[in-house]
Amino acid sequence: MSPLSTSGRRKRPYHHGDLRQALLDATLELLADSGLRDLSLRAVARHAGVSHAASYRHFASKESLLAALAEQGFRMLGQAMSAAMQAQADEPVARLQAAGVGYVSFGVQHPQHLQVMFGGAIGSFEHYPQLVEAARAAYALLADVVRNGIERGALRAKDAQTVQAAAWAIVHGLTQLMAGGQLCQSDGAPLPLAQQLALARSVTALFSEGLAAQRPTGRRPTAKTGVS
Amino acid sequence: MSPLSTSGRRKRPYHHGDLRQALLDATLELLADSGLRDLSLRAVARHAGVSHAASYRHFASKESLLAALAEQGFRMLGQAMSAAMQAQADEPVARLQAAGVGYVSFGVQHPQHLQVMFGGAIGSFEHYPQLVEAARAAYALLADVVRNGIERGALRAKDAQTVQAAAWAIVHGLTQLMAGGQLCQSDGAPLPLAQQLALARSVTALFSEGLAAQRPTGRRPTAKTGVS
DNA sequence: TGTACATCAGTGAACGCGCGTTCACTGATGTAC
DNA sequence: TGTACATCAGTGAACGCGCGTTCACTGATGTAC
């Protein structure tokens, strides 16, 4: 990216090349180390190797840097859900589950983005129209797959809004609980990624099968069922 | 509480009476006004009408004050779930739903507690054993009603852990999305309390009925169902 | 190809601020005798 | 009932700090001619 190699003791060129992205990257690294609470704009600049005033060439304020990162996060979330759904046949229950797994999968793999998106760092989304739009678009993916499933008679319908809220809530809650360390191993250590994804699959399966107009195996409880 | 009335220009007695609780209350009020991000111990003391050093007679640090508040929150959460369940007959599906409504109801009515409990203000719960215990106890209520329902054959069983995680996730997610303002009216205004509770009831009903071993009305889709 | 000049990215010093925490203190309380 | 004294809750000044933001500046780039 930078015109001169930074290796070999060459002094860093006066112009950075892509400081905007470098600041966003530095922010993610600091968030991974110490969390939102302790994040400062000065530390971000320090981490990116520039003076702390330099960031004002790219972001109007600390909050607007975080808003840019949150926007990036919502786009990534949308892509994660889309990609997961496209790997499915055109079957509403399977697509709903896939979208849910995509949501959780994004969240547990990008907890820094999650913090900025949902951690209350941004006073009001309304000041950042592109952020509002990105968030809306991500939610719409989930809402659409639910609405479509209901219209096609594949999902039990109360009103669509209830089902949409429920679908959002379960994947959001699972993501937050795992990323926040509340849902963890019995010794308190966070679940390894593979187990997080496995839990995401089984929870979303439970939910979307419970929502299916027909029970998958007919009308008896699932094959796996057994009273212990 | 205070031995002399504070009205009538009587000067405030030197000893407060119950400064500990007054500091907790002041914290809640400031959280309601401006959120965790801007909360300072000095402002809390100012709000409670004492010098900013006084709080160190009651809390070792800012974080330990927040931990005390979080602990209080988890106890309230547990009470809200217990109370809601006790209003039900001894029927697992209804009790699960009631516990869920209790969870959401607590959260949307005490968003300041929620921030302290789940907002990342406390670096590590492990430093506060009573907090860990209160959080564990609250979760156990939800986990127990699920386990009991499965053992009695009233809830479909994958493994109990999946169902417990799913139950926790859906009520937690719904709470966070409503308290955080993400789940709101079409004009962006937060839902009024009555609608929040109504949504809590319908979402938890959808979930717990989807989980019931038998569909409530037999084996056809719910009475309300209709393709739009 | 060479030069003047507008543009703009990054610098470094400075502003003013409020923070968390510590400390030696003072005022009030209650208990032992 | 009265007094000495230990206890402890609250005070106010101080410490040291890093923060977000602004400003006049300088170095680099690229374009018009």
Side-chain angles (χ1 to χ4, degrees), chain B residues 127-145:
Chain B
H127 300 148
Y128 307 95
Q130 299 179 89
L131 171 57
V132 171
E133 175 50 26
R136 200 204 51 71
Y139 173 60
L141 283 173
L142 204 53
D144 285 352
V145 65

PDB file of all heavy atoms in Angstrom, chain B residues 127-145:
ATOM      1  N   HIS B 127     -13.385 -11.046  40.130  1.00  0.00           N
ATOM      2  CA  HIS B 127     -12.920 -10.284  41.289  1.00  0.00           C
ATOM      3  C   HIS B 127     -14.023 -10.035  42.308  1.00  0.00           C
ATOM      4  O   HIS B 127     -13.759  -9.482  43.383  1.00  0.00           O
ATOM      5  CB  HIS B 127     -12.350  -8.931  40.846  1.00  0.00           C
ATOM      6  CG  HIS B 127     -11.190  -9.054  39.916  1.00  0.00           C
ATOM      7  ND1 HIS B 127     -10.915  -8.126  38.928  1.00  0.00           N
ATOM      8  CD2 HIS B 127     -10.246 -10.007  39.812  1.00  0.00           C
ATOM      9  CE1 HIS B 127      -9.846  -8.519  38.277  1.00  0.00           C
ATOM     10  NE2 HIS B 127      -9.417  -9.638  38.774  1.00  0.00           N
ATOM     11  N   TYR B 128     -15.260 -10.378  41.945  1.00  0.00           N
ATOM     12  CA  TYR B 128     -16.404 -10.089  42.815  1.00  0.00           C
ATOM     13  C   TYR B 128     -17.221 -11.356  43.000  1.00  0.00           C
ATOM     14  O   TYR B 128     -18.217 -11.571  42.302  1.00  0.00           O
ATOM     15  CB  TYR B 128     -17.244  -8.963  42.197  1.00  0.00           C
ATOM     16  CG  TYR B 128     -16.413  -7.758  41.867  1.00  0.00           C
ATOM     17  CD1 TYR B 128     -15.883  -7.571  40.591  1.00  0.00           C
ATOM     18  CD2 TYR B 128     -16.113  -6.816  42.853  1.00  0.00           C
ATOM     19  CE1 TYR B 128     -15.081  -6.474  40.304  1.00  0.00           C
ATOM     20  CE2 TYR B 128     -15.314  -5.713  42.576  1.00  0.00           C
ATOM     21  CZ  TYR B 128     -14.806  -5.554  41.303  1.00  0.00           C
ATOM     22  OH  TYR B 128     -14.004  -4.478  41.028  1.00  0.00           O
ATOM     23  N   PRO B 129     -16.830 -12.202  43.939  1.00  0.00           N
ATOM     24  CA  PRO B 129     -17.462 -13.520  44.097  1.00  0.00           C
ATOM     25  C   PRO B 129     -18.970 -13.449  44.304  1.00  0.00           C
ATOM     26  O   PRO B 129     -19.701 -14.294  43.788  1.00  0.00           O
ATOM     27  CB  PRO B 129     -16.780 -14.082  45.351  1.00  0.00           C
ATOM     28  CG  PRO B 129     -15.519 -13.321  45.497  1.00  0.00           C
ATOM     29  CD  PRO B 129     -15.754 -11.979  44.917  1.00  0.00           C
ATOM     30  N   GLN B 130     -19.440 -12.443  45.031  1.00  0.00           N
ATOM     31  CA  GLN B 130     -20.881 -12.356  45.249  1.00  0.00           C
ATOM     32  C   GLN B 130     -21.622 -12.018  43.960  1.00  0.00           C
ATOM     33  O   GLN B 130     -22.761 -12.416  43.758  1.00  0.00           O
ATOM     34  CB  GLN B 130     -21.205 -11.299  46.309  1.00  0.00           C
ATOM     35  CG  GLN B 130     -20.594 -11.612  47.658  1.00  0.00           C
ATOM     36  CD  GLN B 130     -20.909 -10.524  48.675  1.00  0.00           C
ATOM     37  OE1 GLN B 130     -21.919 -10.572  49.368  1.00  0.00           O
ATOM     38  NE2 GLN B 130     -20.049  -9.530  48.755  1.00  0.00           N
ATOM     39  N   LEU B 131     -20.940 -11.269  43.101  1.00  0.00           N
ATOM     40  CA  LEU B 131     -21.522 -10.963  41.794  1.00  0.00           C
ATOM     41  C   LEU B 131     -21.620 -12.228  40.957  1.00  0.00           C
ATOM     42  O   LEU B 131     -22.653 -12.512  40.335  1.00  0.00           O
ATOM     43  CB  LEU B 131     -20.659  -9.910  41.089  1.00  0.00           C
ATOM     44  CG  LEU B 131     -20.979  -9.614  39.632  1.00  0.00           C
ATOM     45  CD1 LEU B 131     -22.429  -9.184  39.453  1.00  0.00           C
ATOM     46  CD2 LEU B 131     -20.042  -8.527  39.100  1.00  0.00           C
ATOM     47  N   VAL B 132     -20.563 -13.004  40.950  1.00  0.00           N
ATOM     48  CA  VAL B 132     -20.560 -14.269  40.216  1.00  0.00           C
ATOM     49  C   VAL B 132     -21.709 -15.140  40.704  1.00  0.00           C
ATOM     50  O   VAL B 132     -22.467 -15.698  39.903  1.00  0.00           O
ATOM     51  CB  VAL B 132     -19.221 -15.014  40.403  1.00  0.00           C
ATOM     52  CG1 VAL B 132     -19.305 -16.424  39.827  1.00  0.00           C
ATOM     53  CG2 VAL B 132     -18.080 -14.240  39.754  1.00  0.00           C
ATOM     54  N   GLU B 133     -21.863 -15.205  42.008  1.00  0.00           N
ATOM     55  CA  GLU B 133     -22.893 -16.054  42.585  1.00  0.00           C
ATOM     56  C   GLU B 133     -24.297 -15.562  42.202  1.00  0.00           C
ATOM     57  O   GLU B 133     -25.173 -16.358  41.848  1.00  0.00           O
ATOM     58  CB  GLU B 133     -22.729 -16.097  44.119  1.00  0.00           C
ATOM     59  CG  GLU B 133     -23.807 -16.846  44.855  1.00  0.00           C
ATOM     60  CD  GLU B 133     -24.085 -18.237  44.289  1.00  0.00           C
ATOM     61  OE1 GLU B 133     -23.182 -18.834  43.680  1.00  0.00           O
ATOM     62  OE2 GLU B 133     -25.231 -18.707  44.454  1.00  0.00           O
ATOM     63  N   ALA B 134     -24.505 -14.261  42.257  1.00  0.00           N
ATOM     64  CA  ALA B 134     -25.823 -13.719  41.908  1.00  0.00           C
ATOM     65  C   ALA B 134     -26.146 -13.990  40.443  1.00  0.00           C
ATOM     66  O   ALA B 134     -27.281 -14.341  40.090  1.00  0.00           O
ATOM     67  CB  ALA B 134     -25.869 -12.216  42.199  1.00  0.00           C
ATOM     68  N   ALA B 135     -25.154 -13.845  39.587  1.00  0.00           N
ATOM     69  CA  ALA B 135     -25.380 -14.085  38.160  1.00  0.00           C
ATOM     70  C   ALA B 135     -25.673 -15.568  37.915  1.00  0.00           C
ATOM     71  O   ALA B 135     -26.581 -15.917  37.159  1.00  0.00           O
ATOM     72  CB  ALA B 135     -24.156 -13.649  37.354  1.00  0.00           C
ATOM     73  N   ARG B 136     -24.907 -16.418  38.585  1.00  0.00           N
ATOM     74  CA  ARG B 136     -25.098 -17.851  38.441  1.00  0.00           C
ATOM     75  C   ARG B 136     -26.506 -18.251  38.887  1.00  0.00           C
ATOM     76  O   ARG B 136     -27.190 -19.023  38.236  1.00  0.00           O
ATOM     77  CB  ARG B 136     -24.047 -18.579  39.288  1.00  0.00           C
ATOM     78  CG  ARG B 136     -23.781 -20.032  38.906  1.00  0.00           C
ATOM     79  CD  ARG B 136     -23.218 -20.809  40.093  1.00  0.00           C
ATOM     80  NE  ARG B 136     -24.032 -20.632  41.299  1.00  0.00           N
ATOM     81  CZ  ARG B 136     -25.244 -21.150  41.478  1.00  0.00           C
ATOM     82  NH1 ARG B 136     -25.800 -21.889  40.536  1.00  0.00           N
ATOM     83  NH2 ARG B 136     -25.913 -20.911  42.596  1.00  0.00           N
ATOM     84  N   ALA B 137     -26.932 -17.681  40.022  1.00  0.00           N
ATOM     85  CA  ALA B 137     -28.246 -18.037  40.561  1.00  0.00           C
ATOM     86  C   ALA B 137     -29.365 -17.632  39.598  1.00  0.00           C
ATOM     87  O   ALA B 137     -30.337 -18.368  39.415  1.00  0.00           O
ATOM     88  CB  ALA B 137     -28.446 -17.370  41.924  1.00  0.00           C
ATOM     89  N   ALA B 138     -29.224 -16.469  38.999  1.00  0.00           N
ATOM     90  CA  ALA B 138     -30.259 -16.024  38.064  1.00  0.00           C
ATOM     91  C   ALA B 138     -30.327 -16.955  36.860  1.00  0.00           C
ATOM     92  O   ALA B 138     -31.410 -17.386  36.439  1.00  0.00           O
ATOM     93  CB  ALA B 138     -29.985 -14.586  37.618  1.00  0.00           C
ATOM     94  N   TYR B 139     -29.167 -17.282  36.320  1.00  0.00           N
ATOM     95  CA  TYR B 139     -29.164 -18.173  35.171  1.00  0.00           C
ATOM     96  C   TYR B 139     -29.720 -19.545  35.541  1.00  0.00           C
ATOM     97  O   TYR B 139     -30.434 -20.176  34.760  1.00  0.00           O
ATOM     98  CB  TYR B 139     -27.747 -18.312  34.602  1.00  0.00           C
ATOM     99  CG  TYR B 139     -27.663 -19.348  33.513  1.00  0.00           C
ATOM    100  CD1 TYR B 139     -28.423 -19.213  32.349  1.00  0.00           C
ATOM    101  CD2 TYR B 139     -26.865 -20.481  33.645  1.00  0.00           C
ATOM    102  CE1 TYR B 139     -28.382 -20.164  31.349  1.00  0.00           C
ATOM    103  CE2 TYR B 139     -26.816 -21.442  32.654  1.00  0.00           C
ATOM    104  CZ  TYR B 139     -27.577 -21.279  31.496  1.00  0.00           C
ATOM    105  OH  TYR B 139     -27.542 -22.233  30.513  1.00  0.00           O
ATOM    106  N   ALA B 140     -29.409 -19.982  36.763  1.00  0.00           N
ATOM    107  CA  ALA B 140     -29.850 -21.312  37.180  1.00  0.00           C
ATOM    108  C   ALA B 140     -31.370 -21.424  37.182  1.00  0.00           C
ATOM    109  O   ALA B 140     -31.923 -22.486  36.892  1.00  0.00           O
ATOM    110  CB  ALA B 140     -29.298 -21.649  38.565  1.00  0.00           C
ATOM    111  N   LEU B 141     -32.062 -20.342  37.499  1.00  0.00           N
ATOM    112  CA  LEU B 141     -33.526 -20.381  37.490  1.00  0.00           C
ATOM    113  C   LEU B 141     -34.043 -20.774  36.108  1.00  0.00           C
ATOM    114  O   LEU B 141     -34.928 -21.617  35.978  1.00  0.00           O
ATOM    115  CB  LEU B 141     -34.085 -18.994  37.851  1.00  0.00           C
ATOM    116  CG  LEU B 141     -34.037 -18.600  39.313  1.00  0.00           C
ATOM    117  CD1 LEU B 141     -34.460 -17.156  39.466  1.00  0.00           C
ATOM    118  CD2 LEU B 141     -34.954 -19.516  40.117  1.00  0.00           C
ATOM    119  N   LEU B 142     -33.470 -20.124  35.102  1.00  0.00           N
ATOM    120  CA  LEU B 142     -33.894 -20.393  33.734  1.00  0.00           C
ATOM    121  C   LEU B 142     -33.483 -21.806  33.327  1.00  0.00           C
ATOM    122  O   LEU B 142     -34.260 -22.557  32.728  1.00  0.00           O
ATOM    123  CB  LEU B 142     -33.243 -19.354  32.810  1.00  0.00           C
ATOM    124  CG  LEU B 142     -33.914 -19.055  31.480  1.00  0.00           C
ATOM    125  CD1 LEU B 142     -35.373 -18.687  31.688  1.00  0.00           C
ATOM    126  CD2 LEU B 142     -33.180 -17.914  30.787  1.00  0.00           C
ATOM    127  N   ALA B 143     -32.260 -22.167  33.680  1.00  0.00           N
ATOM    128  CA  ALA B 143     -31.758 -23.491  33.308  1.00  0.00           C
ATOM    129  C   ALA B 143     -32.581 -24.598  33.965  1.00  0.00           C
ATOM    130  O   ALA B 143     -32.862 -25.630  33.347  1.00  0.00           O
ATOM    131  CB  ALA B 143     -30.284 -23.616  33.695  1.00  0.00           C
ATOM    132  N   ASP B 144     -33.009 -24.362  35.218  1.00  0.00           N
ATOM    133  CA  ASP B 144     -33.753 -25.386  35.939  1.00  0.00           C
ATOM    134  C   ASP B 144     -35.139 -25.619  35.349  1.00  0.00           C
ATOM    135  O   ASP B 144     -35.592 -26.763  35.252  1.00  0.00           O
ATOM    136  CB  ASP B 144     -33.906 -25.001  37.421  1.00  0.00           C
ATOM    137  CG  ASP B 144     -32.599 -25.196  38.182  1.00  0.00           C
ATOM    138  OD1 ASP B 144     -31.654 -25.764  37.597  1.00  0.00           O
ATOM    139  OD2 ASP B 144     -32.522 -24.781  39.347  1.00  0.00           O
ATOM    140  N   VAL B 145     -35.790 -24.535  34.972  1.00  0.00           N
ATOM    141  CA  VAL B 145     -37.135 -24.722  34.427  1.00  0.00           C
ATOM    142  C   VAL B 145     -37.056 -25.479  33.104  1.00  0.00           C
ATOM    143  O   VAL B 145     -37.904 -26.318  32.797  1.00  0.00           O
ATOM    144  CB  VAL B 145     -37.908 -23.383  34.323  1.00  0.00           C
ATOM    145  CG1 VAL B 145     -37.280 -22.450  33.345  1.00  0.00           C
ATOM    146  CG2 VAL B 145     -39.366 -23.622  33.957  1.00  0.00           C
TER     147      VAL B 145
END
